[in-house]
């Protein structure tokens, strides 16, 4: 029996996937969000347990040693991000589809882990210039992390082919409509 009901959204940082993820969660009550653990500092407006589980380095290490993560990555000058196995199992046990909003390496690892029962969608910015503009506009980056994120984004853009679908996010409405259709189709196929 196919019990894994997994939707993976990925994009280079600043690609617009978080906005799309939030809209999917609003529209589809049967989808639960995979809340990742992270060691990065909480940003204004973020809630512990809703946006992320904010963990200390020590606590993150402890969870790695306990084998609590399906995958985890370290980037942007040392912050770590990871998917907690128990958290996902809980969602699946309750019958939810699970939506992931993760960077490209993590998305590849999740796709490998869940296999054909996961649908993976790569959200691509229309251009590198636009990606830079969006990251700058967001205003959460200093020059150093902006540069790191852009360098990483270059690498990530080359990975698009790995994923089941690519959606170009030039206009949010049309990108959302495309993602929505892919997700609706996956849900109908599984039920
Ligand atoms: P931010 O610091 O902007 O919230 O996130 C930075 C990047 O980490 C984003 O691309 C985000 O999607 C990604 N991310 C969030 N959670 C996870 C996770 O559990 N695993 C991995 N590999 N990446 C994650």
């Amino acid at each position: 029996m196919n019990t894994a009901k997994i939707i993976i959204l990925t994009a280079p940082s600043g690609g617009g996937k978080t906005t799309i993820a939030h809209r999917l969660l609003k529209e589809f009550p049967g989808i639960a969000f995979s809340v990742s653990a992270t060691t990065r500092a909480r940003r204004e407006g973020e809630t512990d347990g809703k946006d992320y589980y904010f963990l200390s380095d020590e606590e993150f290490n402890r969870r790695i040693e306990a084998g609590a993560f399906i995958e985890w990555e370290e980037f942007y000058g040392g912050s770590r991000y990871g998917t907690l196995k128990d958290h996902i199992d809980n969602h699946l046990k309750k019958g939810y589809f699970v939506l992931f909003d993760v960077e490209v390496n993590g998305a590849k690892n999740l796709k490998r882990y869940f296999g054909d029962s996961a649908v993976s969608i790569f959200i691509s910015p229309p251009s590198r210039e636009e990606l830079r503009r969006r990251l700058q506009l967001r205003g959460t980056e200093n020059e150093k992390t902006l540069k790191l994120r852009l360098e990483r984004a270059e690498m990530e853009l080359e990975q698009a082919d790995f994923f089941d679908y690519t959606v170009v996010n030039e206009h949010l409405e049309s990108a959302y409509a495309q993602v929505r259709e892919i997700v609706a189709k996956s849900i109908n196929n599984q039920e």
Side-chain angles (χ1 to χ4, degrees), residues 7 21 26 28-29 44-46 51 63-64 82-83 100 106 113 118 139 141 168 177 180 183:
I7 301 152
K26 250 198 202 155
F28 295 92
E44 214 180 301
E46 288 181 332
D51 298 286
R63 306 263 179 126
I64 293 172
T83 303
F100 291 82
Y113 182 87
E141 312 306 320
V168 177
R180 188 193 176 286
V183 168

Side-chain angles (χ1 to χ4, degrees), residues 17 36 40 43 52 71 73 81-83 101-103 106:
K17 68 190 187 306
S36 299
R40 85 140 158 76
R43 291 184 191 132
Y52 283 107
E71 60 78 38
E73 295 284 331
Y81 299 78
T83 303
D101 167 1
V102 297
E103 52 71 53

